[in-house]
Amino acid sequence: MCTVARDSGRQATMTTSGGTSDAVAFVGDWSGPVVATSVHAGHELRPDIAAAMVLDETERFREEDPHTDRIAAVVPDRVVTTRSRFEADLNRPRREAVYRRPEDCWGLEVWRDGVLSDELFEGSLETYDAFYDALAPRLDALAERGPFVLLDVHSYNHRRDGAGAPPAPASDNPEVNVGTGSLDHDLFGPLVERFMGDLRDASLGCGPLDARENVAFEGRNLAWWVHDRYPRVGCVLALEFKKTFMDEWSGELDEERLRHAQEGLAATLPGLHEELGRLR
């Protein structure tokens, strides 16, 4: 039976950051060089945003990344965010982070009056800023000790034609899309190759994962921000797990497939530590 690897030598703790405790929290002691985020896993909304929203909750859930926090949880040191991307999308540039009109979010009608008000818009930007303001000092301290990897865990839909329609072709939709569009390949290329190889290795985890690089996603704002702030030190691997671990239309979770994703990611951690050790 597959079991998710745990770091038994360290106890996971959760800490919050000042007045932003309801927006971002941190698990672990952050003493190691590998950390994880799952910034689209959240589903919560602050009350005034929830009151203004007309988007059906099922549709909202479909466009979020449910359960990616459980995949990221195989990494002892990680960020926990609970707010929905429909309040503030933490993986978009600040100017695009709040969905105000349908064209900002897959054509969906989200707001009661058609467009989000300026007041609510500013409140959502506060959520966005709180995340980056809390994350920066954590990563600053990490960067002072040398190169580090941030595993930015997401998921993506592959059945957009409808619940009864066939899924999108596997040829263009790997089980794990590894986004590396903005990282320093000259420096981190061997680390990326080791990571990809470990995901594909049938002897690790619960079997091989179909992992390919930059097929449909190359990483967005969180990766850009880390790579700009910590050149030749920070390495973000933006991971998009295909939603084979759940039914994206009904929301039903397949626990076995989720464990498969967890174990696959957990199996890459020793290799990441080895590669970072070489860089250090």
Side-chain angles (χ1 to χ4, degrees):
M1 176 181 294
C2 295
T3 55
V4 176
R6 303 288 184 186
D7 187 341
S8 59
R10 299 165 59 195
Q11 182 177 359
T13 58
M14 182 177 292
T15 59
T16 56
S17 180
T20 68
S21 60
D22 59 346
V24 58
F26 298 90
V27 174
D29 59 21
W30 284 60
S31 62
V34 180
V35 300
T37 57
S38 51
V39 296
H40 289 159
H43 188 65
E44 296 177 9
L45 299 167
R46 69 181 193 274
D48 54 356
I49 281 286
M53 187 173 289
V54 296
L55 180 67
D56 180 86
E57 187 172 9
T58 301
E59 284 191 281
R60 175 160 65 90
F61 191 70
R62 186 179 306 128
E63 299 299 344
E64 295 163 343
D65 293 355
H67 312 298
T68 52
D69 53 338
R70 293 181 60 185
I71 299 174
V74 303
V75 181
D77 297 325
R78 61 192 183 275
V79 188
V80 176
T81 48
T82 58
R83 299 291 183 85
S84 171
R85 67 188 302 172
F86 285 86
E87 179 173 329
D89 190 330
L90 304 176
N91 201 36
R92 289 192 182 186
R94 192 177 188 272
R95 65 184 180 278
E96 303 172 14
V98 181
Y99 309 153
R100 301 196 74 176
R101 298 171 177 81
E103 53 266 33
D104 297 333
C105 51
W106 311 282
L108 297 172
E109 294 287 346
V110 179
W111 308 113
R112 190 172 308 282
D113 298 322
V115 177
L116 187 67
S117 71
D118 289 344
E119 180 182 1
L120 294 180
F121 171 74
E122 292 298 331
S124 292
L125 285 181
E126 290 178 8
T127 299
Y128 181 91
D129 291 340
F131 168 77
Y132 282 97
D133 288 348
L135 181 60
R138 292 275 179 161
L139 293 185
D140 288 350
L142 204 60
E144 287 179 0
R145 300 195 295 270
F148 67 88
V149 167
L150 188 153
L151 298 172
D152 180 26
V153 182
H154 298 267
S155 63
Y156 75 97
N157 295 328
H158 65 118
R159 295 173 56 202
R160 287 201 173 274
D161 290 339
S171 58
D172 299 321
N173 294 270
E175 195 164 359
V176 188
N177 183 104
V178 181
T180 63
S182 61
L183 67 73
D184 185 335
H185 282 83
D186 289 339
L187 179 63
F188 292 114
L191 181 148
V192 173
E193 289 303 313
R194 173 70 179 274
F195 179 80
M196 301 283 291
D198 286 348
L199 282 177
R200 295 168 178 155
D201 191 338
S203 69
L204 301 177
C206 292
L209 289 172
D210 172 23
R212 283 174 271 159
E213 194 174 355
N214 301 326
V215 175
F217 308 96
E218 296 187 353
R220 278 209 84 188
N221 191 71
L222 181 55
W224 300 343
W225 181 82
V226 169
H227 294 149
D228 284 346
R229 187 178 178 94
Y230 311 104
R232 298 187 63 78
V233 176
C235 172
V236 177
L237 302 179
L239 310 180
E240 293 275 357
F241 285 81
K242 185 161 63 174
K243 287 185 180 176
T244 53
F245 57 83
M246 64 178 291
D247 186 315
E248 65 194 56
W249 287 93
S250 70
E252 182 179 358
L253 175 65
D254 185 326
E255 287 283 358
E256 183 177 355
R257 284 183 175 271
L258 183 69
R259 284 196 298 273
H260 183 81
Q262 291 174 311
E263 184 68 12
L265 185 59
T268 68
L269 300 182
L272 289 178
H273 282 271
E274 281 188 22
E275 295 300 324
L276 287 169
R278 292 190 181 99
L279 290 171
R280 287 165 180 255

